[in-house]
Amino acid sequence: HKVILNRNDCNFGLAKHFNKLFEMSGGEILVSAAGDDVSSPDRVKILADEFYRLPDDTMIVYSNGWKTDEKKQRIEKIGESFRPQFPYNMERILRKHRFLTGATMAWRRELMQNFGLMREDCQNEDITLLYRAVLCGRVAYIDDCLVDWRRIQGSLAEKIDDIVLRRIRAFGWRCSIYRQLLEDMNTDINKYGQYLPTVEMHLARNEFQYLQWKQPIGMLTIFLTSIKLRCPAIIREYYRTKKHQR
């Protein structure tokens, strides 16, 4: 095996770092392994065997796993929250965003080669790759628990107790995914164009709700909530994105 050790000069953010890792990688099937998660020793072999067993248009295979706490104690199976709901199709996943946990996922290189690198303001690779997989192929699931997934303070999966901040993050997160999806669909407008009006509607609705939650009682609320979370990256990213769009 060839091992590449990489250390960035600064924190690139999720999408830019993900893009760089893809460009550094080789192979037809890619398996992500975040630094705060633990994979079982046979995880890659099991996922690869499943790919070779299934039809060639299978773009993603993901598994069950365990949610763990800061002490790495197992809490519950991921599948209890993100149950597989087949068949995967664009109409269904546009209605419900989360069908899988990216920490357990393996995917074909084609999902980045055919659609290109992710936008740097994209805040979630899991759902972006899921949309791409459904656009050009199929998704499969195995119930083996192959990953211990940590959802702790400071991680991207961190749960925020403040409902206003949680909503701001959720709607900003969705906006970034819909912008990426619109761009992906434009790679073949004749094939994917039927979904564009629906995605544009979802993006507009989430941008409206994002601003609605950010400005319920004026800019004072935004200022105070930003200080509380030390100006979270999602808010800064949203303003940067809007500035570039103007």
Side-chain angles (χ1 to χ4, degrees):
H1 298 286
K2 181 180 180 180
V3 177
I4 301 174
L5 178 63
N6 172 68
R7 182 175 181 177
N8 299 325
D9 294 331
C10 61
N11 188 340
F12 284 169
L14 185 144
K16 187 175 180 180
H17 182 63
F18 191 85
N19 290 340
K20 181 176 180 178
L21 292 180
F22 168 75
E23 291 177 324
M24 293 172 65
S25 69
E28 177 189 354
I29 296 170
L30 304 178
V31 183
S32 300
D36 54 355
D37 300 331
V38 179
S39 297
S40 66
D42 54 355
R43 179 188 173 208
V44 173
K45 181 181 185 305
I46 292 173
L47 292 172
D49 288 346
E50 194 69 7
F51 266 109
Y52 294 128
R53 186 185 69 82
L54 294 169
D56 291 341
D57 66 344
T58 302
M59 294 291 133
I60 286 177
V61 176
Y62 72 104
S63 73
N64 207 335
W66 290 97
K67 290 183 184 178
T68 63
D69 60 20
E70 293 184 356
K71 297 180 179 179
K72 301 181 181 180
Q73 297 298 310
R74 290 174 173 175
I75 303 170
E76 64 175 348
K77 290 184 178 181
I78 297 173
E80 298 302 314
S81 302
F82 304 125
R83 292 187 177 278
Q85 300 184 35
F86 295 96
Y88 283 89
N89 57 60
M90 188 55 64
E91 289 80 7
R92 293 192 71 197
I93 64 175
L94 281 174
R95 291 198 301 268
K96 183 177 180 180
H97 306 279
R98 292 205 69 93
F99 281 92
L100 54 76
T101 301
T104 72
M105 183 170 66
W107 44 281
R108 289 194 184 275
R109 194 173 192 84
E110 297 169 45
L111 295 184
M112 294 290 278
Q113 287 179 328
N114 294 349
F115 293 96
L117 301 178
M118 291 192 298
R119 292 167 53 104
E120 291 188 6
D121 64 347
C122 187
Q123 298 173 22
N124 186 288
E125 83 282 10
D126 309 3
I127 308 304
T128 293
L129 292 174
L130 173 61
Y131 280 137
R132 290 179 174 187
V134 173
L135 286 173
C136 64
R138 67 180 75 192
V139 177
Y141 169 80
I142 55 178
D143 201 39
D144 304 51
C145 288
L146 303 179
V147 176
D148 284 4
W149 176 56
R150 289 204 299 172
R151 189 177 186 183
I152 60 175
Q153 187 174 4
S155 70
L156 289 174
E158 174 187 2
K159 183 177 180 180
I160 298 177
D161 293 328
D162 187 306
I163 187 171
V164 174
L165 295 173
R166 189 164 69 245
R167 292 289 186 178
I168 289 173
R169 185 172 77 167
F171 289 125
W173 174 84
R174 290 177 185 174
C175 288
S176 76
I177 292 171
Y178 287 132
R179 293 188 196 103
Q180 179 66 65
L181 181 55
L182 286 174
E183 199 167 287
D184 291 344
M185 288 178 172
N186 277 301
T187 59
D188 191 340
I189 194 67
N190 293 323
K191 187 175 181 180
Y192 309 131
Q194 60 177 313
Y195 302 115
L196 285 175
T198 302
V199 178
E200 289 170 346
M201 178 192 68
H202 280 299
L203 175 57
R205 179 184 298 162
N206 278 275
E207 284 188 331
F208 174 78
Q209 290 174 314
Y210 180 89
L211 292 173
Q212 197 174 42
W213 277 94
K214 280 192 63 178
Q215 300 172 336
I217 55 173
M219 289 305 295
L220 179 61
T221 301
I222 311 309
F223 179 70
L224 293 176
T225 53
S226 296
I227 290 178
K228 185 173 181 181
L229 277 191
R230 298 179 182 177
C231 196
I234 183 173
I235 295 176
R236 296 198 305 271
E237 191 62 45
Y238 183 81
Y239 282 134
R240 281 200 295 267
T241 303
K242 278 301 184 185
K243 183 178 179 181
H244 293 320
Q245 288 178 344
R246 291 193 188 104

